[in-house]
Amino acid sequence: MSGLPSLGTPTKAKSPRNAMWLSLSWPGAGHVYAGVTEKGAILCGISLVLFALSLTLIGPVLGLVLWLGLSLYTAIDVSSALTR
């Protein structure tokens, strides 16, 4: 098992840029990448609900605006969390 990292060894630092791009492509994906899986799963669920609502109730224009706003928020949030 020499290829597996042992407990206590530092892992490679996550890139804020990669996390930001993941969050811009799908809100919450950058948080999952950064290791904040609970918050990332919640944000992924919210974006999925927004996508479904945009196809049915709220319409595509409002759904797209809300989804883009969530995407920008998650990108800024995860990027700032990784640069601290």
Short mmCIF file of all heavy atoms in Angstrom, two decimals, residues 11-39:
data_model
loop_
_atom_site.label_atom_id
_atom_site.label_comp_id
_atom_site.label_asym_id
_atom_site.label_seq_id
_atom_site.Cartn_x
_atom_site.Cartn_y
_atom_site.Cartn_z
N THR A 11 -1.95 16.79 2.58
CA THR A 11 -2.46 16.58 1.23
C THR A 11 -2.15 17.80 0.39
O THR A 11 -1.82 18.87 0.91
CB THR A 11 -3.98 16.36 1.26
OG1 THR A 11 -4.61 17.50 1.85
CG2 THR A 11 -4.33 15.11 2.04
N LYS A 12 -2.25 17.64 -0.89
CA LYS A 12 -1.98 18.74 -1.81
C LYS A 12 -3.04 19.83 -1.62
O LYS A 12 -4.22 19.55 -1.51
CB LYS A 12 -2.01 18.22 -3.24
CG LYS A 12 -1.65 19.26 -4.27
CD LYS A 12 -1.66 18.66 -5.65
CE LYS A 12 -1.42 19.75 -6.67
NZ LYS A 12 -1.62 19.28 -8.03
N ALA A 13 -2.59 21.07 -1.60
CA ALA A 13 -3.51 22.19 -1.42
C ALA A 13 -4.44 22.30 -2.63
O ALA A 13 -4.04 22.07 -3.76
CB ALA A 13 -2.72 23.48 -1.26
N LYS A 14 -5.68 22.65 -2.35
CA LYS A 14 -6.68 22.82 -3.41
C LYS A 14 -6.51 24.18 -4.05
O LYS A 14 -6.24 25.19 -3.39
CB LYS A 14 -8.09 22.68 -2.84
CG LYS A 14 -8.35 21.35 -2.15
CD LYS A 14 -8.35 20.22 -3.14
CE LYS A 14 -8.67 18.93 -2.41
NZ LYS A 14 -8.89 17.83 -3.28
N SER A 15 -6.69 24.22 -5.36
CA SER A 15 -6.53 25.45 -6.11
C SER A 15 -7.80 26.31 -6.03
O SER A 15 -8.88 25.83 -6.39
CB SER A 15 -6.23 25.11 -7.57
OG SER A 15 -6.38 26.24 -8.39
N PRO A 16 -7.69 27.56 -5.56
CA PRO A 16 -8.87 28.44 -5.55
C PRO A 16 -9.42 28.68 -6.96
O PRO A 16 -10.62 28.81 -7.14
CB PRO A 16 -8.34 29.74 -4.95
CG PRO A 16 -7.12 29.36 -4.20
CD PRO A 16 -6.54 28.18 -4.93
N ARG A 17 -8.54 28.72 -7.95
CA ARG A 17 -8.99 28.93 -9.33
C ARG A 17 -9.83 27.76 -9.83
O ARG A 17 -10.88 27.96 -10.43
CB ARG A 17 -7.79 29.15 -10.24
CG ARG A 17 -8.20 29.35 -11.69
CD ARG A 17 -7.03 29.60 -12.57
NE ARG A 17 -6.61 30.99 -12.35
CZ ARG A 17 -5.53 31.52 -12.83
NH1 ARG A 17 -4.71 30.82 -13.55
NH2 ARG A 17 -5.24 32.77 -12.60
N ASN A 18 -9.38 26.53 -9.56
CA ASN A 18 -10.17 25.36 -9.97
C ASN A 18 -11.51 25.33 -9.26
O ASN A 18 -12.54 25.00 -9.87
CB ASN A 18 -9.40 24.07 -9.69
CG ASN A 18 -8.24 23.87 -10.62
OD1 ASN A 18 -8.13 24.52 -11.66
ND2 ASN A 18 -7.34 22.99 -10.24
N ALA A 19 -11.51 25.65 -7.97
CA ALA A 19 -12.76 25.66 -7.21
C ALA A 19 -13.72 26.71 -7.75
O ALA A 19 -14.93 26.48 -7.86
CB ALA A 19 -12.47 25.92 -5.74
N MET A 20 -13.18 27.87 -8.13
CA MET A 20 -14.02 28.93 -8.68
C MET A 20 -14.65 28.49 -10.00
O MET A 20 -15.84 28.66 -10.22
CB MET A 20 -13.20 30.20 -8.90
CG MET A 20 -14.00 31.35 -9.46
SD MET A 20 -12.98 32.72 -10.03
CE MET A 20 -12.14 32.00 -11.42
N TRP A 21 -13.85 27.89 -10.89
CA TRP A 21 -14.39 27.45 -12.18
C TRP A 21 -15.42 26.33 -12.02
O TRP A 21 -16.41 26.29 -12.75
CB TRP A 21 -13.27 27.03 -13.12
CG TRP A 21 -12.56 28.19 -13.71
CD1 TRP A 21 -11.28 28.58 -13.48
CD2 TRP A 21 -13.10 29.16 -14.63
NE1 TRP A 21 -11.00 29.72 -14.18
CE2 TRP A 21 -12.09 30.09 -14.90
CE3 TRP A 21 -14.34 29.32 -15.24
CZ2 TRP A 21 -12.28 31.17 -15.75
CZ3 TRP A 21 -14.53 30.40 -16.09
CH2 TRP A 21 -13.51 31.31 -16.34
N LEU A 22 -15.18 25.45 -11.07
CA LEU A 22 -16.17 24.41 -10.82
C LEU A 22 -17.48 25.01 -10.31
O LEU A 22 -18.57 24.57 -10.72
CB LEU A 22 -15.62 23.40 -9.80
CG LEU A 22 -14.62 22.40 -10.34
CD1 LEU A 22 -13.97 21.64 -9.19
CD2 LEU A 22 -15.29 21.43 -11.30
N SER A 23 -17.39 26.00 -9.44
CA SER A 23 -18.60 26.64 -8.93
C SER A 23 -19.32 27.43 -10.00
O SER A 23 -20.55 27.53 -9.97
CB SER A 23 -18.27 27.56 -7.75
OG SER A 23 -18.00 26.80 -6.61
N LEU A 24 -18.59 28.01 -10.93
CA LEU A 24 -19.24 28.73 -12.02
C LEU A 24 -19.95 27.76 -12.97
O LEU A 24 -20.98 28.11 -13.55
CB LEU A 24 -18.23 29.58 -12.78
CG LEU A 24 -17.77 30.84 -12.07
CD1 LEU A 24 -16.65 31.51 -12.86
CD2 LEU A 24 -18.92 31.80 -11.85
N SER A 25 -19.39 26.57 -13.14
CA SER A 25 -20.04 25.61 -14.04
C SER A 25 -21.25 24.95 -13.39
O SER A 25 -22.26 24.72 -14.04
CB SER A 25 -19.04 24.56 -14.52
OG SER A 25 -18.59 23.80 -13.42
N TRP A 26 -21.15 24.61 -12.10
CA TRP A 26 -22.30 24.07 -11.36
C TRP A 26 -22.14 24.52 -9.91
O TRP A 26 -21.21 24.09 -9.23
CB TRP A 26 -22.37 22.55 -11.45
CG TRP A 26 -23.66 22.05 -10.90
CD1 TRP A 26 -23.87 21.59 -9.64
CD2 TRP A 26 -24.92 22.02 -11.55
NE1 TRP A 26 -25.18 21.26 -9.48
CE2 TRP A 26 -25.86 21.51 -10.64
CE3 TRP A 26 -25.35 22.38 -12.82
CZ2 TRP A 26 -27.19 21.34 -10.96
CZ3 TRP A 26 -26.68 22.22 -13.14
CH2 TRP A 26 -27.59 21.70 -12.22
N PRO A 27 -23.05 25.37 -9.44
CA PRO A 27 -22.94 25.89 -8.08
C PRO A 27 -22.88 24.76 -7.04
O PRO A 27 -23.70 23.85 -7.05
CB PRO A 27 -24.23 26.71 -7.90
CG PRO A 27 -24.58 27.12 -9.29
CD PRO A 27 -24.17 25.98 -10.16
N GLY A 28 -21.87 24.83 -6.21
CA GLY A 28 -21.67 23.83 -5.17
C GLY A 28 -20.55 22.85 -5.49
O GLY A 28 -19.98 22.25 -4.59
N ALA A 29 -20.23 22.69 -6.76
CA ALA A 29 -19.19 21.74 -7.15
C ALA A 29 -17.82 22.18 -6.64
O ALA A 29 -16.99 21.34 -6.26
CB ALA A 29 -19.15 21.57 -8.66
N GLY A 30 -17.58 23.46 -6.59
CA GLY A 30 -16.31 23.96 -6.06
C GLY A 30 -16.17 23.70 -4.57
O GLY A 30 -15.07 23.43 -4.09
N HIS A 31 -17.26 23.78 -3.84
CA HIS A 31 -17.22 23.48 -2.41
C HIS A 31 -16.92 22.00 -2.18
O HIS A 31 -16.16 21.67 -1.28
CB HIS A 31 -18.54 23.87 -1.75
CG HIS A 31 -18.73 25.33 -1.59
ND1 HIS A 31 -19.17 26.14 -2.62
CD2 HIS A 31 -18.53 26.15 -0.54
CE1 HIS A 31 -19.24 27.39 -2.19
NE2 HIS A 31 -18.85 27.42 -0.92
N VAL A 32 -17.50 21.14 -2.99
CA VAL A 32 -17.21 19.71 -2.87
C VAL A 32 -15.74 19.46 -3.16
O VAL A 32 -15.07 18.71 -2.46
CB VAL A 32 -18.12 18.89 -3.81
CG1 VAL A 32 -17.72 17.43 -3.82
CG2 VAL A 32 -19.58 19.04 -3.41
N TYR A 33 -15.22 20.10 -4.20
CA TYR A 33 -13.80 19.99 -4.55
C TYR A 33 -12.92 20.48 -3.40
O TYR A 33 -11.89 19.88 -3.10
CB TYR A 33 -13.52 20.79 -5.82
CG TYR A 33 -12.07 21.03 -6.13
CD1 TYR A 33 -11.29 20.02 -6.67
CD2 TYR A 33 -11.47 22.26 -5.88
CE1 TYR A 33 -9.95 20.24 -6.96
CE2 TYR A 33 -10.14 22.48 -6.17
CZ TYR A 33 -9.38 21.47 -6.71
OH TYR A 33 -8.06 21.68 -6.99
N ALA A 34 -13.33 21.56 -2.75
CA ALA A 34 -12.53 22.15 -1.68
C ALA A 34 -12.63 21.37 -0.37
O ALA A 34 -11.90 21.64 0.56
CB ALA A 34 -12.96 23.59 -1.45
N GLY A 35 -13.54 20.42 -0.31
CA GLY A 35 -13.66 19.62 0.89
C GLY A 35 -14.78 20.05 1.82
O GLY A 35 -14.97 19.48 2.88
N VAL A 36 -15.54 21.05 1.43
CA VAL A 36 -16.69 21.50 2.22
C VAL A 36 -17.92 20.80 1.63
O VAL A 36 -18.77 21.42 0.99
CB VAL A 36 -16.83 23.04 2.16
CG1 VAL A 36 -17.86 23.54 3.15
CG2 VAL A 36 -15.51 23.71 2.39
N THR A 37 -17.99 19.49 1.86
CA THR A 37 -18.97 18.67 1.14
C THR A 37 -20.41 18.93 1.57
O THR A 37 -21.30 18.88 0.73
CB THR A 37 -18.64 17.18 1.30
OG1 THR A 37 -18.53 16.88 2.68
CG2 THR A 37 -17.35 16.83 0.60
N GLU A 38 -20.64 19.21 2.84
CA GLU A 38 -22.02 19.43 3.27
C GLU A 38 -22.61 20.69 2.63
O GLU A 38 -23.70 20.66 2.08
CB GLU A 38 -22.08 19.54 4.79
CG GLU A 38 -23.50 19.64 5.32
CD GLU A 38 -23.54 19.63 6.84
OE1 GLU A 38 -22.71 18.94 7.46
OE2 GLU A 38 -24.40 20.33 7.39
N LYS A 39 -21.86 21.77 2.68
CA LYS A 39 -22.32 23.02 2.07
C LYS A 39 -22.42 22.85 0.55
O LYS A 39 -23.35 23.34 -0.08
CB LYS A 39 -21.38 24.17 2.41
CG LYS A 39 -21.86 25.51 1.96
CD LYS A 39 -20.95 26.63 2.45
CE LYS A 39 -21.48 27.99 2.10
NZ LYS A 39 -20.62 29.07 2.62
#
